Amino acid sequence: MNKSRWLPLAVFAALAVLLAAGVWLSRNPDREKLPSPLIGKPAPAFSLPVLHEAGRLLTSQELRGAPYLLNVWGSWCPACRDEHPVLTRFAETKRLRVIGFNWKDEHADALRWLEQYGNPYVVVVADYDGKSAIDWGIYGAPETFLVDGRGIVRWKFVGPLTDKVIANELLPELSKIEKAR
Amino acid sequence: MLSLSLALTLAPPAQAQPANDPAPLSFTDSGEERRFHALVAELRCVMCQNQSLADSNAQIAHDLRREVLALMRQGKSDGEIKDFLVARYGEFVLYRPQVESKTWLLWFGPALLLLAGGFAVARIVHARSATARPADTRIDEEQEW
């Protein structure tokens, strides 16, 4: 008799814990970020026009041999503007090649943006129709991928890079790659 | 507090979408159109996350819809098209996750809960009928007094 009187309270407590866990999980600001299924897999093969050289195509094959950072940006992207000084500072350390992936931009707009704010990239490829972006699983800008010398995607970051993200996530991943070589 | 949490959920994401206006899709026949709409209603927009690919107006949703139609025209099956998107964006793009070990709880959890509930109810009913009978006999004994 006594035991069954406690049952509703026990059920209520269990539900309360469940709901509290839901609220707690939803506080995580990263919960909307999707893990990339590409991590640990070869980077998608591409052959894309180089922004600054008419007629030249850059292939994923040519980038093999050393790690690179692929940064997705567009002149239409306000967060890329915020990210730009951080990326520039990082590119100046010359730790690895920073490749620009200009996503669904107008050629002239992209060139003007780089002229205005400075060009931190070793080379910029342009994905005008967004087809290659689908292969990379890109869904917003900025997004940044770290690819190792064998062409394997090792790390991805969604949203604007910050000094903290570079120090706490990117550089440790990079030293892992460098140690493995 | 509520308004704060509302503001947080409604805040625009730090990421952005390209803004150029895409050309609307055109279909060769109504069968193709029906199949396309059924398919994109099952796929989630990766940017907006709580809309299907069919409903979303995000640029990436436009691009993915165009890609889905292109894949259909290449003769790919619905399953192959879903696999194509899962390989790039993860399981997340599917509104109905595939049945596999890590989604068992999602698929069979409700049925398990229902079974557990039914079992609990059956036990309570059984226990009550068991305690009711001795009480009846006791009343009978009292009546004899």
Side-chain angles (χ1 to χ4, degrees):
Chain A
M1 188 63 193
N2 249 343
K3 226 164 68 178
S4 64
R5 280 176 91 180
W6 287 106
L7 187 68
L9 186 66
V11 169
F12 174 77
L15 270 178
V17 168
L18 192 71
L19 294 178
V23 170
W24 184 253
L25 286 175
S26 71
R27 288 159 56 98
N28 179 359
D30 287 344
R31 84 196 143 104
E32 286 180 351
K33 294 189 176 166
L34 312 185
S36 175
L38 277 183
I39 288 169
K41 297 201 183 117
F46 62 81
S47 176
L48 289 170
V50 173
L51 188 71
H52 290 93
E53 290 169 64
R56 187 185 150 203
L57 291 175
L58 183 76
T59 64
S60 46
Q61 208 62 35
E62 285 172 66
L63 292 172
R64 294 265 177 105
Y68 62 92
L69 199 69
L70 187 92
N71 176 250
V72 181
W73 68 281
S75 67
W76 43 265
C77 156
C80 300
R81 173 79 193 80
D82 299 337
E83 180 186 62
H84 191 266
V86 177
L87 195 66
T88 304
R89 270 200 303 280
F90 176 70
E92 278 166 0
T93 65
K94 299 220 185 299
R95 276 297 297 276
L96 78 168
R97 297 170 297 167
V98 181
I99 314 285
F101 186 98
N102 183 231
W103 184 33
K104 295 205 75 166
D105 215 343
E106 294 292 330
H107 185 78
D109 291 347
L111 286 176
R112 202 179 311 122
W113 198 89
L114 290 176
E115 236 167 71
Q116 192 174 346
Y117 300 120
N119 182 0
Y121 305 110
V122 178
V123 62
V124 180
V125 291
D127 182 22
Y128 295 113
D129 59 5
K131 260 186 102 67
S132 180
I134 291 177
D135 289 337
W136 282 87
I138 290 164
Y139 61 95
E143 278 183 31
T144 306
F145 296 84
L146 173 64
V147 183
D148 71 13
R150 291 177 302 139
I152 309 289
V153 179
R154 300 296 286 265
W155 178 77
K156 176 188 180 180
F157 185 76
V158 173
L161 287 173
T162 60
D163 289 325
K164 222 168 130 185
V165 168
I166 289 175
N168 296 345
E169 295 186 39
L170 172 59
L171 291 179
E173 281 297 328
L174 184 59
S175 23
K176 262 194 259 171
I177 296 174
E178 286 168 345
K179 252 179 237 151
R181 260 196 304 179
Chain B
M1 190 60 198
L2 181 68
S3 59
L4 177 72
S5 56
L6 266 180
L8 283 176
T9 46
L10 296 177
Q15 283 177 294
Q17 288 283 302
N20 36 338
D21 203 22
L25 295 169
S26 56
F27 299 98
T28 50
D29 59 65
S30 63
E32 184 184 58
E33 190 171 355
R34 256 201 312 277
R35 185 185 157 205
F36 175 80
H37 286 308
L39 193 53
V40 291
E42 291 233 327
L43 297 167
R44 194 197 304 246
C45 166
V46 283
M47 183 69 196
C48 12
Q49 309 204 352
N50 49 6
Q51 279 180 311
S52 76
L53 208 49
D55 299 331
S56 173
N57 214 22
Q59 179 66 39
I60 185 68
H62 284 284
D63 286 0
L64 288 176
R65 282 198 293 266
R66 206 180 38 187
E67 189 70 28
V68 166
L69 187 61
L71 290 169
M72 277 170 58
R73 288 188 178 152
Q74 286 167 26
K76 296 265 198 302
S77 73
D78 288 5
E80 283 170 329
I81 294 171
K82 285 180 183 172
D83 288 346
F84 173 92
L85 289 170
V86 168
R88 285 157 179 76
Y89 291 95
E91 282 278 322
F92 183 87
V93 296
L94 302 179
Y95 262 126
R96 272 194 295 173
Q98 277 148 356
V99 183
E100 53 182 332
S101 57
K102 65 179 177 191
T103 57
W104 279 350
L105 196 63
L106 202 61
W107 275 98
F108 307 118
L112 279 178
L113 270 182
L114 196 69
L115 270 177
F119 185 68
V121 167
R123 275 198 54 173
I124 289 169
V125 167
H126 184 76
R128 283 206 179 152
S129 61
T131 51
R133 227 165 280 137
D136 284 347
T137 54
R138 200 177 44 189
I139 291 166
D140 286 345
E141 282 164 13
E142 277 168 1
Q143 279 177 335
E144 275 181 24
W145 269 89

